[in-house]
Amino acid sequence: MAIELGSLRAVVRHHLVLPTVATRRDIADERVVREMAELVGDARTLRLLYLVGVADARASSPDVWSAWKAQLMRSLYLRVLAHLEAE
């Protein structure tokens, strides 16, 4: 699986966006989901952002990762993915 340079750049640039939005914004708000979908652009980049976001949070310290944060990030990921796939 080759990763396009543009996707890799987006992941590096926005690697904290999923955890930040998931914990600080209303992820049930369709506008938030739409904004995230526009920022991410496609499902593949979203998947990479999700994986890097989880890995970064888990590697930072035990205090950074929790079941609450995991649930919020997964919910946001699934909502944005559904939005991207519907387009």
Side-chain angles (χ1 to χ4, degrees):
M1 171 173 106
I3 300 172
E4 293 180 18
L5 187 55
S7 292
L8 187 56
R9 284 183 180 141
V11 170
V12 170
R13 185 178 321 117
H14 301 295
H15 76 281
L16 294 177
V17 75
L18 278 176
T20 300
V21 170
T23 58
R24 297 184 183 165
R25 307 243 345 244
D26 180 4
I27 62 173
D29 184 342
E30 185 58 35
R31 185 183 57 154
V32 171
V33 172
R34 190 173 51 251
E35 288 172 4
M36 283 294 305
E38 289 172 7
L39 175 71
V40 170
D42 60 67
R44 188 173 194 183
T45 303
L46 175 64
R47 285 183 192 99
L48 290 170
L49 277 171
Y50 177 71
L51 292 172
V52 170
V54 169
D56 181 62
R58 292 184 69 151
S60 295
S61 81
D63 297 333
V64 173
W65 189 248
S66 66
W68 171 77
K69 191 170 195 175
Q71 189 270 331
L72 287 175
M73 284 183 60
R74 179 127 177 96
S75 292
L76 179 59
Y77 166 77
L78 292 173
R79 289 172 193 261
V80 175
L81 182 61
H83 183 88
L84 289 169
E85 290 176 343
E87 291 184 333

